[in-house]
Amino acid sequence: MQQKDPDWWRGAVIYQVYPRSFYDSNGDGIGDLPGVTAKLDYIASLNVDAIWLSPFFTSPMKDFGYDVADYRGVDPIFGNIDDLDALITKAHDLGLKIMIDQVLSHSSDQHAWFVESRSGRDNPKADWYVWAEAKPDGSVPNNWLSVFGGPAWTWDTRRKQYYLHNFLSSQPDINFHNPDVVAQVLSDIRFWLDRGVDGFRLDAINFCFHDPELRNNPPSEAVAEASIGVRKENPYGYQQHIYDKTRPENLAFLKQLRSLLDEYPGTTTVGEIGDDNSLQTMADYTSNGDKLHMAYSFDLLTEQHSAAFIRHTVETIENKLQDGWPCWAVGNHDVARVASRWATRSPEQIKLYMVLLLSLRGSVCIYQGEELGLGEAELNYRDLVDPYGIRFWPEYKGRDGCRTPMVWHPEEQNAGFSSGTPWLPVYSEHYNMAVDIQEQQDESVLHAYRTFMAWRREQPALLEGDITFHNSPDNTLLFSRKTDGQQLLIGINLGDQPAAFDLPATAQRIDNAPASLGGDWQGNRLELPAFGAAIGQL
């Protein structure tokens, strides 16, 4: 039976499915919605609460679905609307919620709205996108840059104006200053709510509004927190992005969006925040219960993962959030897989990061394949399809390495993903980490994920408790999670050497804790091996 709790999302584990790479049901080399439906029993067996589906909308696929050409259509490569309805129905039967990716700040240049908008300056959609005159010398209107490289402006010969695109030139920015646009966007969201969708992951949600005066962004030598595109090879990180995104008008729109979702009890939103001051923006966007339900930033999606950095990140968001609710992720379809980015792909490290992630206060997103410990795939330049990687190769290899197909059966063609030629090659080193192999190994990463998430569901303090950090040795974390009925103490050793913790006198081992947790408990002293974790009670 499906959960009835309208606040089910608090403390939930959300499993991200990238449909193109999950399972191909018809042999064309591209994963599809029937393929996701065929694997729903597997997803349910992980003991997650919801599925986040990356875009399946009608799209020319210049950015693989994040360039939407029809906000109410299913692209034929993924199936049709009946396939989506069947997926939602079966997921609900299994007790799983369905969240879909909404890309609101921009569309495809092939969307009917943009086709009409660019046709002239006096049509009904003329003001639905961000248009601007050239400077007297014909140059771009201001210094705004695209995340994917180069100016954020492209000249259109039909209107003889520039249009704004924060991403690819084929992804024009929608003009949210136009109330007709906002009304249409909310109508499209209502369309999916009426079909039974339980929530939305909101892509680049802080990009919806721009400064109507088109003021230049000031330079920045560094950013305070995690942003996007902040790489030495990409000049996007050389600006303070105060005029091209995260504008104050966005808060009023988020309130309208929340009012709509409040009409559908039990639905939720999680916003992606890529910003120079992402933690403050997360707080602003989730405060007072009238905007987003949850938000996550890129802070734990970077290479930084020291104990000091993680503690600073979590404590900072806790201090800023107040009544807001975070959603944590260490991987997704946009960043190198955490098993390569943070670890040496050792199962011990991967299990440790799992325990850490699932023990923080907030909800959690897990990217497909993390439960197998998959590392980043190394691809040849000729295999790349990601425009971001093609643009900045070889200094930045793009996002294809985290998007290669799931591995199901090591003895089958393409590891059981597809009987055809996959859209990205199946990485050879992933075959021996396939689901079918790990299902049969009691010590596998898959088994550890499945067991820990089942145990976590029964721990109120991990689902909704407060979090408090305590002093601990270098390269370690010690924090407690507390509700009225339960107090837990979590020890994490991120170092490659054993570590010892002095614990409160009331701390004691939990006998029914999963095997991925251990440690040597001697009174109020805990000793953890390298990359070890333990959870006790207070």
Side-chain angles (χ1 to χ4, degrees):
M1 291 293 292
Q2 195 181 5
Q3 297 171 344
K4 300 296 184 181
D5 180 7
D7 290 333
W8 63 267
W9 47 273
R10 289 185 179 273
V13 179
I14 304 165
Y15 185 81
Q16 182 191 355
V17 171
Y18 194 71
R20 295 182 70 91
S21 298
F22 199 60
Y23 182 64
D24 172 21
S25 70
N26 60 7
D28 66 356
I30 298 173
D32 45 47
L33 295 178
V36 177
T37 304
K39 297 296 186 181
L40 283 176
D41 289 305
Y42 166 77
I43 298 174
S45 77
L46 298 175
N47 298 304
V48 301
D49 303 292
I51 296 171
W52 149 23
L53 287 175
S54 290
F56 51 78
F57 305 109
T58 306
S59 168
M61 300 295 164
K62 298 290 182 61
D63 192 23
F64 301 100
Y66 286 89
D67 48 330
V68 179
D70 180 356
Y71 283 100
R72 301 190 184 193
V74 174
D75 195 282
I77 67 171
F78 296 124
N80 55 46
I81 195 72
D82 292 336
D83 294 324
L84 182 67
D85 289 342
L87 191 161
I88 293 172
T89 297
K90 183 174 179 180
H92 287 172
D93 288 343
L94 291 170
L96 294 167
K97 305 288 188 179
I98 293 292
M99 303 177 66
I100 65 174
D101 224 320
Q102 285 286 305
V103 189
L104 303 182
S105 71
H106 58 268
S107 76
S108 164
D109 61 357
Q110 297 184 29
H111 197 295
W113 302 344
F114 188 71
V115 172
E116 183 175 353
S117 186
R118 77 190 316 181
S119 67
R121 301 190 185 190
D122 58 358
N123 63 75
K125 299 290 191 299
D127 193 38
W128 278 45
Y129 290 82
V130 183
W131 296 96
E133 301 293 341
K135 288 183 177 179
D137 62 359
S139 60
V140 294
N142 60 23
N143 72 345
W144 296 354
L145 297 173
S146 163
V147 173
F148 288 167
W153 298 96
T154 289
W155 179 255
D156 186 78
T157 56
R158 299 166 183 81
R159 285 186 52 141
K160 300 178 178 59
Q161 287 180 302
Y162 283 98
Y163 65 86
L164 177 67
H165 54 88
N166 277 295
F167 298 92
L168 295 175
S169 61
S170 57
Q171 295 171 299
D173 271 49
I174 296 172
N175 181 19
F176 273 74
H177 290 284
N178 185 330
D180 292 337
V181 168
V182 173
Q184 181 61 54
V185 166
L186 294 175
S187 176
D188 290 337
I189 291 174
R190 185 183 293 276
F191 172 83
W192 294 110
L193 290 169
D194 287 339
R195 297 199 84 90
V197 164
D198 302 294
F200 303 90
R201 180 264 187 183
L202 300 168
D203 183 74
I205 191 58
N206 56 314
F207 281 78
C208 291
F209 283 83
H210 66 287
D211 173 35
E213 297 180 35
L214 304 183
R215 286 171 284 187
N216 284 330
N217 283 327
S220 175
E221 295 182 0
V223 294
E225 293 157 3
S227 188
I228 55 179
V230 184
R231 301 181 178 90
K232 291 183 179 180
E233 70 274 9
N234 187 348
Y236 186 83
Y238 296 175
Q239 294 183 357
Q240 296 180 54
H241 293 276
I242 61 176
Y243 293 120
D244 53 351
K245 63 182 181 181
T246 321
R247 300 299 299 160
E249 300 93 332
N250 211 31
L251 295 173
F253 166 68
L254 294 180
K255 290 180 180 179
Q256 290 180 271
L257 176 61
R258 179 60 175 265
S259 293
L260 171 59
L261 266 78
D262 285 347
E263 297 179 30
Y264 297 80
T267 58
T268 192
T269 53
V270 56
E272 176 198 43
I273 307 297
D275 190 45
D276 296 348
N277 296 291
S278 56
L279 300 182
Q280 182 61 56
T281 304
M282 284 176 64
D284 294 341
Y285 281 21
T286 59
S287 63
N288 299 325
D290 62 352
K291 294 177 283 293
L292 298 179
H293 297 79
M294 303 174 279
Y296 77 87
S297 76
F298 286 69
D299 289 85
L300 297 188
L301 297 172
T302 65
E303 286 75 20
Q304 298 185 75
H305 63 286
S306 69
F309 173 78
I310 292 171
R311 177 172 177 173
H312 167 76
T313 299
V314 176
E315 288 189 323
T316 301
I317 191 60
E318 284 295 319
N319 291 334
K320 292 179 181 293
L321 268 183
Q322 298 181 12
D323 63 341
W325 191 256
C327 185
W328 298 106
V330 296
N332 65 20
H333 63 290
D334 281 334
V335 297
R337 285 192 173 274
V338 68
S340 297
R341 199 175 74 247
W342 284 10
T344 57
R345 304 192 189 183
S346 76
E348 292 76 17
Q349 282 180 280
I350 294 167
K351 293 175 186 178
L352 175 68
Y353 297 137
M354 176 222 25
V355 173
L356 170 62
L357 177 67
L358 290 163
S359 298
L360 296 177
R361 176 181 177 270
S363 303
V364 173
C365 288
I366 293 174
Y367 180 48
Q368 66 182 45
E370 279 180 25
E371 78 278 13
L372 304 178
L374 298 185
E376 184 78 351
E378 294 292 334
L379 301 177
N380 296 315
Y381 180 77
R382 64 177 180 271
D383 293 322
L384 297 187
V385 295
D386 177 20
Y388 200 179
I390 292 170
R391 177 70 182 264
F392 289 108
W393 177 277
E395 285 77 13
Y396 173 57
K397 298 181 180 180
R399 301 166 295 178
D400 292 323
C402 67
R403 297 177 176 181
T404 56
M406 273 284 283
V407 284
W408 300 99
H409 307 288
E411 304 301 325
E412 294 185 9
Q413 184 178 4
N414 299 313
F417 164 70
S418 175
S419 60
T421 302
W423 74 287
L424 280 174
V426 179
Y427 189 39
S428 60
E429 291 188 18
H430 287 173
Y431 276 78
N432 64 358
M433 306 172 78
V435 171
D436 193 47
I437 290 178
Q438 296 201 36
E439 291 273 13
Q440 303 172 47
Q441 297 173 338
D442 290 341
E443 301 301 318
S444 68
V445 173
L446 173 59
H447 183 75
Y449 263 86
R450 187 175 280 155
T451 303
F452 189 86
M453 288 192 288
W455 181 78
R456 178 182 179 272
R457 278 181 163 175
E458 305 303 320
Q459 312 306 316
L462 293 183
L463 296 179
E464 56 189 31
D466 296 334
I467 186 169
T468 302
F469 282 86
H470 308 283
N471 292 332
S472 63
D474 291 343
N475 299 321
T476 71
L477 293 168
L478 184 66
F479 56 94
S480 54
R481 300 289 311 278
K482 178 182 178 181
T483 59
D484 289 341
Q486 186 182 43
Q487 294 186 57
L488 298 179
L489 187 68
I490 297 95
I492 302 286
N493 181 12
L494 294 167
D496 59 3
Q497 298 296 319
F501 299 76
D502 292 321
L503 306 178
T506 57
Q508 55 184 303
R509 184 187 186 109
I510 296 178
D511 292 333
N512 67 342
S516 54
L517 304 172
D520 182 16
W521 294 76
Q522 299 292 334
N524 65 340
R525 186 174 176 83
L526 169 65
E527 294 185 358
L528 285 178
F531 310 121
I535 297 182
Q537 58 188 3
L538 292 172

